[in-house]
Amino acid sequence: MTLAAKLQMRASQSLVMTPQLMQSIRLLQLTHVELERFLDEEIEKNPLLSRAEPAADAAASPPVETPAPDAEADWFDRGENFSAEGMAGRLDASLENLFPDDPGRQDRLGPSLLSSWRSAGSGGAASAGEWDLDDFSARPPSLFEQLNAEIALRFRRAHERLCAEALLDELDESGYCRADLSALAARLGLALADVERVLKACQAFEPAGIFARDLGDCLAIQLSRRDRLDPAMEALLGRLDLLAKRDFSSLSRLCGVGGDDLLDMLAEIRRLDPRPGRELGLGAAEPVVPDVEVRPAPDGGWQVEINPDTLPRVLVDQSYYARVTGKTREPAEKQFMSACLQNANWLARSLDQRARTILKVATEIVKRQDGFLVGGLRFLKPLNLKTVADSIGMHESTVSRVTANKYMLTPRGTFELRFFFSAAIQAADGGESHSALAVQDRIRTMIATEKPENVLSDDAIVVALKENGVDIARRTVAKYREALAIPSSVERRREKRARADAAATR
């Protein structure tokens, strides 16, 4: 056989990851705040881009470019997988059951007379754009900044202020100062007694319990502020391990009080804050702005809409492009303006594609979780990303990007889109599977309604769930119970018996 070089022509298809396509993929997973920041950067770089203000005069606004989706955008709608998805001790865990987090509260602010105002020009006439006063308001100081300001006011001597600032830097996420005071004193060149005195002064700051050495010290500081730190309470704080085990008989004997008084002491501790520094380094919490709104439709179904507040719109100034390119003769300038026009058109298409994709995914989620919207958590169905992706003709990675850090406002509250995706638990009778979140809700309800004389063990919960058609293992029940911060049956039995005995003696 003779070997020779020759030319051949072959037709093949391949995907080229252009920068614009990568930008469209990135826009899908951006949150509302991140998207606004990204648009501000693009508008600053691109002279052809500007924001479409709702209150702006339509006659004065430049024409909006509404390009039709091309073949590459249509391919992106179908989706493709471009990259791999990058996705303390027993006593502390038990004590967390004693301090359940307060339910979230959302302040409902009514309309304000100063909700918006018009900026006046040099002549005193108001401009066409309206400005939100909240955009110019000062950010509330964080807890770290408040403590820093309090240190500056409290300590006049330089070495004391330096020591207090060093202690502030040693605070952990709970607001405790677990630093080695001896090592800190040696590093600052101070006596240990001076460091302890500064720490004692810092423990008088707000919030109560900040700069505490441990959990017992934190609770003791708060009880002392309330004038409730008596010898019995000090004995109780000294044996928090028994409190975590619900060993009320031993605690009653150590504290020298009856069961009724012990329950009152426990109720007093529950009202304290075990983590006074949880907001350390954080400013005011930003409210969640839902990306999708779901309302009941007149025909009995659900109306799914994109929240207009999270739907940024940009304008492409075609007239400015025509004026500039018509007057310039420099090839570099024409090339720059052409690149700006191409990027602006692609960004407008990407934003429209992003909104349509979010709406399509949210509509499918609402369609499949109709039972939850009507009946609550008990009727939440198991769902995964692949099921939604196959139903709407997209790739699973696209659905994953869409559901990341996006929120949906429903008649039952605001939920992250990822909330509606949960693992499936097989039915005992071979029927329809159950959602893991729905099973957790059943476990929570069963434990909340149990009687003191019949506290349910994990095995009893397994039997009860199988009678209701849920096939679940005991270790799964224990895992769900720990995730819900529910103590074991032994600890619950001790607490319920103590409450029953205290109620009987009254």
Side-chain angles (χ1 to χ4, degrees), residues 235-250:
L236 177 61
L237 296 180
R239 295 305 306 268
L240 290 179
D241 55 335
L242 296 179
L243 182 58
K245 298 176 182 178
R246 266 68 171 182
D247 191 354
F248 296 108
S249 58
S250 300

Side-chain angles (χ1 to χ4, degrees), residues 21-53:
L21 190 56
M22 295 177 63
Q23 180 189 88
S24 298
I25 298 170
R26 178 192 173 197
L27 290 181
L28 273 180
Q29 57 191 12
L30 293 182
T31 64
H32 167 60
V33 177
E34 294 171 344
L35 181 61
E36 292 290 339
R37 188 182 303 116
F38 172 79
L39 290 180
D40 290 338
E41 295 175 356
E42 290 297 317
I43 291 174
E44 185 177 357
K45 294 187 298 184
N46 196 329
L48 300 181
L49 283 176
S50 62
R51 286 189 180 273
E53 299 294 342

